[in-house]
């Protein structure tokens, strides 16, 4: 079977060599919107497949994901913690599976029970896990008895999030508005385009790989359509733009715990350059948790529409402003995009953002009800275990003198040229760190500059 493709029309300004806007139906808009439902870890994994060395997307989150992947399992509370952190769930998974292009290749959920306890007929205190490495809380054996869920694979067709009869206008920086002639004229006027004969209409066919590539551009550039259509990469490459931090409003603070984590930062005295930091498991637990938060929640609930990824801020605002009755399937569908909860029941106690996860918590097998096993120990995904070494771009690993000495040798820094600072990370600093990690490879430098300025 030939791979599915979607088509959009793009209108190119021949003189200024840029895409003015695209005209698209629900197939294209649904896919763009679907990224709001995806956890950051899923987006990192998907974009890493659309490799292009010229385009860097999602700054330090790539490094964070990689270091979680390489992180020794012995430091985690239970066997299934790493699996759950690396494979965060999207609560709109079923909707996304029915999109015209298959963008997210995450495997469907599988459920595992303890085969031993089942065969012995134990019926109380029964647990299931979504990871085949989990151990039974009753007998300690591997929960490897597989139970598949009833998943509908039927392609229902039509729009998943937005109405399938509407046409949309998508600007170069991903503002989406329902089509109207007045909308087009306003857009042209705003862009200073008076003579429509200078516009050239082109048809663009996109398969899943091309779509993913376009999305990757949208995560790192402000003119993804122009870059994609006209291949004008270098003009628009601006991934290291400065990040503006905002003070949190007081409302946010009340909703979170007052817990603070400590980061011990080593700087070069003579230059102020960040060398490395050391932290305890609470910080590591918190930062790994970034990967489970859906993009829509990062931009909306946490950053109030200003994540500094311009295209997705625009996309988010477009969803917020779009009329529910006319353009969305329902209010519930719109909420799935602007307030997607993390797809996990258990968040770490070190997650200082106010997140409430949701997932399937009970499973019925042959008339018995199984509860989801809590993978944490004392509310944490990590064991209480020593110190961790953290680089500027959020590579995290168990600390060792080898790492420290290597860093000093590599950067040619003398021991008497090092100064230590203790930085406390609370809600506001955590938010700034998440924000910096979306765009920058120098996440901790950004945070420390901001902290020391105070
Ligand atoms: Zn058992």
């Amino acid at each position: 079977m030939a791979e599915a493709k979607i088509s959009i029309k793009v209108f190119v300004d021949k003189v200024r060599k840029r895409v003015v806007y695209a005209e698209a139906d629900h197939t294209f808009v649904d896919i763009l919107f679907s990224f709001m439902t995806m956890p950051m870890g899923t987006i990192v994994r998907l974009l890493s497949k659309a490799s292009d060395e010229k385009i860097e997307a999602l700054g330090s989150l790539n490094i964070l994901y990689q270091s979680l992947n390489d992180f020794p399992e012995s430091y985690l509370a239970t066997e299934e913690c790493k699996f759950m952190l690396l494979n965060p769930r999207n609560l709109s998974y079923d909707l996304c599976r029915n999109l015209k292009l298959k963008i997210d290749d995450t495997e469907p959920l599988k459920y595992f029970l303890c085969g031993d306890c089942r065969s012995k007929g134990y019926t109380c205190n029964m647990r299931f896990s979504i990871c085949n490495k989990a151990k039974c809380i009753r007998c300690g054996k591997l929960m490897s008895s597989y139970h598949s869920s009833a998943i509908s694979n039927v392609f229902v067709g039509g729009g998943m999030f937005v109405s399938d009869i509407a046409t949309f206008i998508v600007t170069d920086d991903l503002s989406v508005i329902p089509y109207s002639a007045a909308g087009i004229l306003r857009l042209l006027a705003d862009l200073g385009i008076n003579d429509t004969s200078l516009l050239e209409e082109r048809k663009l066919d996109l398969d899943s790989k091309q779509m993913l590539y376009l999305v990757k551009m949208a995560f790192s550039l402000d003119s993804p359509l122009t870059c994609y259509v006209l291949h004008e990469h270098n003009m628009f490459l601006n991934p290291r733009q400065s990040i503006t931090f905002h003070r949190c409003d007081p409302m946010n603070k009340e909703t979170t715990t007052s817990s603070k984590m400590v980061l011990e930062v080593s700087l070069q005295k003579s230059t102020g350059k960040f060398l490395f930091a050391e932290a305890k498991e609470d910080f590591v637990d918190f930062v790994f948790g970034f990967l489970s938060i859906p993009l829509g929640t990062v931009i909306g609930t946490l950053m109030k529409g200003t994540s500094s990824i311009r295209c997705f801020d625009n996309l988010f605002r477009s969803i917020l402003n779009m009329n529910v009755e006319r353009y969305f399937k329902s209010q519930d569908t719109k909420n799935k995009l602007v307030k997607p909860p993390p797809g996990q029941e258990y968040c770490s106690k070190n997650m200082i953002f106010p997140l409430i996860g949701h997932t399937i918590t009970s499973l019925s097998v042959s008339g018995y009800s199984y509860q989801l096993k809590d993978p944490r120990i004392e509310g944490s995904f990590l064991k209480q275990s020593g110190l961790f070494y953290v680089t500027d771009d959020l590579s995290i690993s168990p600390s060792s003198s080898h790492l420290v000495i290597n860093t000093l040798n590599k950067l040619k820094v003398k021991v008497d040229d090092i100064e230590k600072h203790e930085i406390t990370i609370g809600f506001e600093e955590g938010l700034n760190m998440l924000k910096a990690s979306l765009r920058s490879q120098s996440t901790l430098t950004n945070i420390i500059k901001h902290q020391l300025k105070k």
Side-chain angles (χ1 to χ4, degrees):
M1 204 173 76
E3 215 212 322
K5 283 194 178 202
I6 54 173
S7 298
I8 60 173
K9 276 188 268 181
V10 291
F11 293 82
V12 179
D13 178 340
K14 287 184 284 186
V15 178
R16 278 181 267 191
K17 295 205 180 343
R18 61 177 175 179
V19 171
V20 180
Y21 65 93
E23 209 176 283
D25 65 6
H26 66 91
T27 53
F28 181 72
V29 173
D30 262 347
I31 292 172
L32 287 182
F33 284 4
S34 74
F35 277 84
M36 292 296 169
T37 69
M38 290 183 201
M40 297 314 298
T42 305
I43 299 178
V44 166
R45 187 173 58 78
L46 294 177
L47 296 189
S48 72
K49 293 182 189 175
S51 60
D52 181 328
E53 284 169 8
K54 276 182 250 156
I55 297 176
E56 284 173 29
L58 290 177
S60 307
L61 285 189
N62 290 298
I63 311 288
L64 181 68
Y65 188 85
Q66 194 51 48
S67 62
L68 173 60
N69 200 28
D70 300 337
F71 203 74
E73 283 188 29
S74 53
Y75 287 86
L76 289 146
T78 56
E79 288 75 7
E80 63 266 39
C81 284
K82 185 166 163 178
F83 174 87
M84 294 174 97
L85 287 166
L86 268 182
N87 299 284
R89 302 304 306 185
N90 177 355
L91 286 180
S92 300
Y93 179 77
D94 288 344
L95 284 178
C96 294
R97 274 167 70 88
N98 280 324
L99 293 168
K100 178 110 184 252
L101 300 181
K102 191 171 187 268
I103 300 289
D104 185 1
D105 59 2
T106 306
E107 294 281 319
L109 268 184
K110 290 176 181 163
Y111 303 106
F112 297 93
L113 312 168
C114 176
D116 208 44
C117 288
R118 263 191 98 186
S119 65
K120 285 178 183 151
Y122 292 130
T123 54
C124 66
N125 203 14
M126 295 181 298
R127 294 285 183 272
F128 75 91
S129 175
I130 58 166
C131 170
N132 65 351
K133 286 182 176 173
K135 285 185 179 148
C136 175
I137 56 167
R138 188 203 298 270
C139 69
K141 287 188 181 142
L142 205 61
M143 297 167 72
S144 55
S145 169
Y146 170 60
H147 175 81
S148 73
S149 64
I151 298 167
S152 58
N153 283 317
V154 191
F155 180 72
V156 287
M160 290 300 125
F161 299 104
V162 295
S163 155
D164 34 15
I165 46 170
T167 302
F168 300 90
I169 303 167
V170 184
T171 64
D172 201 8
D173 55 1
L174 298 197
S175 282
V176 179
I177 50 169
Y179 171 84
S180 71
I184 298 279
L185 295 177
R186 202 164 43 236
L187 177 67
L188 293 177
D190 285 349
L191 294 172
I193 298 169
N194 216 4
D195 183 357
T196 49
S197 71
L198 301 177
L199 296 183
E200 179 195 336
E201 181 182 329
R202 295 194 199 175
K203 183 168 167 268
L204 199 61
D205 292 321
L206 299 161
D207 62 19
S208 60
K209 254 196 185 140
Q210 290 161 325
M211 185 71 200
L212 201 55
Y213 186 50
L214 177 62
V215 168
K216 185 171 188 177
M217 287 179 162
F219 269 102
S220 61
L221 315 171
D222 292 343
S223 310
L225 285 170
T226 294
C227 297
Y228 187 88
V229 174
L230 303 174
H231 309 289
E232 307 252 357
H233 291 197
N234 299 328
M235 270 172 66
F236 299 90
L237 265 184
N238 187 23
R240 289 179 202 276
Q241 72 179 47
S242 69
I243 295 145
T244 49
F245 295 122
H246 300 278
R247 307 283 318 226
C248 305
D249 57 59
M251 189 198 79
N252 273 341
K253 281 208 162 146
E254 282 169 29
T255 56
T256 58
T257 56
S258 55
S259 67
K260 294 245 180 191
M261 297 166 283
V262 177
L263 195 61
E264 180 136 339
V265 177
S266 295
L267 302 179
Q268 185 173 23
K269 220 185 283 175
S270 53
T271 61
K273 188 180 157 60
F274 176 92
L275 301 172
F276 62 89
E278 279 185 318
K280 291 208 187 94
E281 66 281 349
D282 53 358
F283 175 84
V284 180
D285 202 7
F286 166 62
V287 178
F288 279 156
F290 288 180
L291 298 167
S292 307
I293 311 174
L295 178 64
T297 294
V298 169
I299 297 179
T301 312
L302 295 179
M303 299 189 180
K304 312 285 180 227
T306 55
S307 73
S308 77
I309 305 177
R310 181 163 147 198
C311 287
F312 283 88
D313 286 351
N314 287 343
L315 202 64
F316 185 85
R317 209 169 307 121
S318 307
I319 299 170
L320 270 190
N321 293 339
M322 216 179 272
N323 183 290
V324 173
E325 284 83 34
R326 286 187 72 84
Y327 301 109
F328 283 98
K329 293 271 151 180
S330 66
Q331 181 65 46
D332 182 49
T333 310
K334 184 169 173 173
N335 289 345
K336 284 186 167 117
L337 299 168
V338 293
K339 286 185 236 165
Q344 59 187 52
E345 186 61 18
Y346 300 106
C347 281
S348 164
K349 67 173 180 193
N350 298 309
M351 172 46 73
I352 48 181
F353 301 146
L355 303 174
I356 299 165
H358 284 292
T359 183
I360 298 165
T361 53
S362 77
L363 180 74
S364 181
V365 181
S366 355
Y368 294 111
S369 170
Y370 290 77
Q371 301 303 308
L372 180 65
K373 183 187 173 219
D374 183 351
R376 304 166 301 175
I377 290 181
E378 290 170 17
S380 174
F381 288 115
L382 260 75
K383 282 180 192 153
Q384 285 190 14
S385 46
L387 281 176
F388 298 90
Y389 179 87
V390 188
T391 65
D392 202 6
D393 54 5
L394 296 186
S395 166
I396 302 176
S397 48
S399 193
S400 70
S401 57
H402 171 78
L403 282 170
V404 173
I405 288 168
N406 250 5
T407 305
L408 300 183
N409 286 345
K410 207 168 79 191
L411 300 172
K412 299 190 168 56
V413 174
K414 297 275 180 271
V415 174
D416 62 2
D417 193 19
I418 301 172
E419 61 181 21
K420 297 224 172 240
H421 290 272
E422 223 179 64
I423 306 268
T424 51
I425 307 283
F427 180 82
E428 188 182 327
E429 296 79 15
L431 204 54
N432 286 338
M433 202 161 69
L434 174 59
K435 192 171 199 172
S437 73
L438 297 173
R439 287 305 293 244
S440 170
Q441 306 264 334
S442 317
T443 296
L444 291 184
T445 295
N446 275 298
I447 296 306
I448 289 150
K449 264 192 210 147
H450 183 69
Q451 283 280 93
L452 297 181
K453 243 190 272 168
K454 278 189 192 169

